[in-house]
Amino acid sequence: MAWTAGAAIAALTLSGCAGSDGGGTDSAEATGTVQFLGPEDPDTFAPVIAAFEKAHPDITIEYAQVPFDQYASTLQQRLSAKDDTIDVFAVDQPNLAQIAAQGFLEDLSDLKEEAKAATSQAQYDINIYDDKMYALSIWNSTQMLFYNKDMLAAAGIEAPPADPAARWTWEQTAEAGRAAQAAGAEWGLLLEQVEAYYQLQPLVESAGGGAGITGSDMLELDITNDGWRDALSWYADSFESGLSPRGVGGFQTSAVFTDQKVAFFVGGPWDVGGFAENAAFDWGVAPHPYFDGGSEVTPTGSWSWGINTASKNKEAARAFLEFAALDAAGNLATTETTTIIPANTEAAAQYLPTLESLGGANSAGVADLITYEIDNTAVARPVSVGHVQFESLINKAFADIRNGADVAERLEQAQWQIEDAWSQLQ
């Protein structure tokens, strides 16, 4: 599983200057040891490290794991101390702008053309801050509508197709979910990351509310408009009406689907493998819904990797980073032990048919669907030095709204809370 929502960190003073000018390195002559820091289990990156070291026998990669719930704060402390024992580190993509603004990421702008050719537009843009590129995308993500075929059949509902041209609306999905409940399903609909901006951003964007962060400096807040209110009112009603369950959150939600307690479940590519292993019933996959009359929007984003400006072995670090991101074989190796989408387009094209095969007939159409969403409907979280504070506080607002708080009042409260947090960044 890959959790893509940004981790909450305390407000930071953006006093550092942005990284170096880049300019390229001669990675062919690089040697030595590269210290690599990330939140994943060491087994996850063992294949890419082994492949790189085989191709670069003069470079050794030493990986250190920091648990995800401690990663952001630990990384911040070590980078602030100019810890030169970190060469390459994983960057939770929404946090990139803040880390770059502090001067902790090496400027990789000389790789812009290669990076743009290697990945999707959204995955390229997420690494750009102040017109410079500070990291390379390693993984990507999307969300899909999973459904229980048996529950829909019991309710006499024809299952939604995997074709994006026949994408269901949220209104259709809710109506079908209620019909499934009437036929015996405990719940009709559940979103995986129920209180996460990553998961809910597509709802407000589909309703015309925008990302919530705007302005030339991406530090202007707009979360009280009609689109935000309408989307979150619909979301609040899904819990108030009993369509969706309260009291379950995070990645505990996937078990609600595998336990056959919900008809529709909106989740990520990692769920394909999980459901193939744990769901003892027929299920299927359809495109992520949108609001009637609104835009078709899906989430995207995951992890990028960057180079520490304090590193003493930048040439070798860069060689490893380029291999893992720009070389299709290297990027594919980063997904060998996990069901997450490679950010490299060529690697993804090789990987997605394998992902689709995991669920057999249940996951038919997943490869083409994911490819379509990445190319056509994917919208990344906004690039802003204030995103860490924004996401932490808006997620709390989502939790309160889900549990019955008045939508308009809670968004107004979140507005001043976030603006107050942002005032510390000036």
Side-chain angles (χ1 to χ4, degrees):
M1 287 184 180
W3 188 291
T4 54
I9 358 179
L12 305 170
T13 302
L14 304 178
S15 57
C17 60
S20 72
D21 292 334
T25 59
D26 187 0
S27 59
E29 299 179 3
T31 61
T33 298
V34 172
Q35 306 287 343
F36 172 32
L37 190 72
E40 306 293 336
D41 185 280
D43 289 343
T44 301
F45 296 129
V48 68
I49 290 172
F52 175 79
E53 290 179 341
K54 182 177 181 180
H56 299 79
D58 294 329
I59 302 176
T60 299
I61 308 298
E62 293 186 356
Y63 176 69
Q65 179 197 13
V66 176
F68 179 83
D69 59 354
Q70 303 169 32
Y71 184 71
S73 58
T74 299
L75 181 66
Q76 183 63 217
Q77 291 167 2
R78 292 181 62 178
L79 293 177
S80 297
K82 301 189 182 302
D83 186 345
D84 61 13
T85 64
I86 301 173
D87 298 305
V88 174
F89 61 93
V91 182
D92 199 5
Q93 289 177 343
N95 301 347
L96 179 139
Q98 196 163 44
I99 297 172
Q102 291 179 287
F104 299 150
L105 281 165
E106 189 78 1
D107 183 359
L108 303 174
S109 296
D110 61 302
L111 292 174
K112 275 186 174 183
E113 290 187 12
E114 290 179 64
K116 193 167 189 176
T119 192
S120 67
Q121 186 65 46
Q123 279 298 298
Y124 169 77
D125 291 341
I126 199 69
N127 297 311
I128 304 296
Y129 169 69
D130 199 22
D131 294 326
K132 295 180 180 180
M133 187 176 74
Y134 288 99
L136 295 176
S137 293
I138 299 296
W139 289 345
N140 197 358
S141 69
T142 188
Q143 293 278 291
M144 299 161 284
L145 180 66
F146 295 88
Y147 56 87
N148 184 311
K149 293 182 180 179
D150 297 336
M151 287 183 178
L152 298 193
I157 299 168
E158 185 176 351
D163 182 3
R167 187 188 307 269
W168 276 20
T169 64
W170 284 117
E171 292 86 351
Q172 282 178 283
T173 307
E175 182 180 0
R178 292 189 176 96
Q181 284 181 287
E186 187 170 352
W187 309 106
L189 171 66
L190 182 60
L191 276 64
E192 186 166 46
Q193 298 175 41
V194 290
E195 297 166 359
Y197 178 75
Y198 164 81
Q199 186 92 64
L200 300 184
Q201 179 189 2
L203 271 72
V204 295
E205 295 253 18
S206 179
I213 300 178
T214 185
S216 58
D217 60 355
M218 292 299 285
L219 281 174
E220 294 179 22
L221 199 61
D222 185 17
I223 60 171
T224 60
N225 60 58
D226 289 345
W228 272 76
R229 288 194 297 268
D230 290 347
L232 292 178
S233 293
W234 178 91
Y235 192 60
D237 181 69
S238 72
F239 294 97
E240 183 65 29
S241 67
L243 177 69
S244 302
R246 287 173 173 158
V248 59
F251 279 100
Q252 299 171 333
T253 51
S254 62
V256 180
F257 186 74
T258 55
D259 289 345
Q260 300 194 65
K261 293 181 178 180
V262 66
F264 292 100
F265 181 83
V266 182
W270 45 87
D271 290 311
V272 175
F275 295 162
E277 183 176 351
N278 300 311
F281 57 90
D282 288 335
W283 50 275
V285 183
H288 186 285
Y290 71 108
F291 283 116
D292 187 19
S295 303
E296 298 178 354
V297 179
T298 58
T300 187
S302 187
W303 292 92
S304 295
W305 293 357
I307 297 173
N308 182 11
T309 49
S311 167
K312 293 184 177 179
N313 197 4
K314 293 177 183 177
E315 289 189 5
R318 181 172 168 126
F320 178 53
L321 177 56
E322 291 183 28
F323 177 79
L326 303 180
D327 185 297
N331 191 233
L332 192 61
T334 68
T335 65
E336 191 170 311
T337 66
T338 185
T339 50
I340 191 71
I341 309 168
N344 183 287
T345 303
E346 185 180 344
Q350 299 176 53
Y351 172 80
L352 289 174
T354 302
L355 176 67
E356 181 171 321
S357 69
L358 290 178
N362 293 326
S363 53
V366 161
D368 288 343
L369 174 58
I370 290 176
T371 301
Y372 179 89
E373 304 290 44
I374 289 172
D375 291 342
N376 296 279
T377 64
V379 175
R381 284 161 285 180
V383 177
S384 168
V385 294
H387 193 279
V388 174
Q389 294 80 9
F390 167 79
E391 189 162 357
S392 174
L393 291 168
I394 202 63
N395 286 356
K396 293 178 181 178
F398 291 153
D400 290 342
I401 288 170
R402 177 190 176 214
N403 288 308
D406 181 84
V407 173
E409 291 179 3
R410 189 61 183 87
L411 288 176
E412 289 284 354
Q413 183 186 46
Q415 176 96 13
W416 66 256
Q417 289 175 330
I418 296 167
E419 289 176 343
D420 180 63
W422 281 357
S423 69
Q424 301 175 49
L425 301 178
Q426 306 303 320

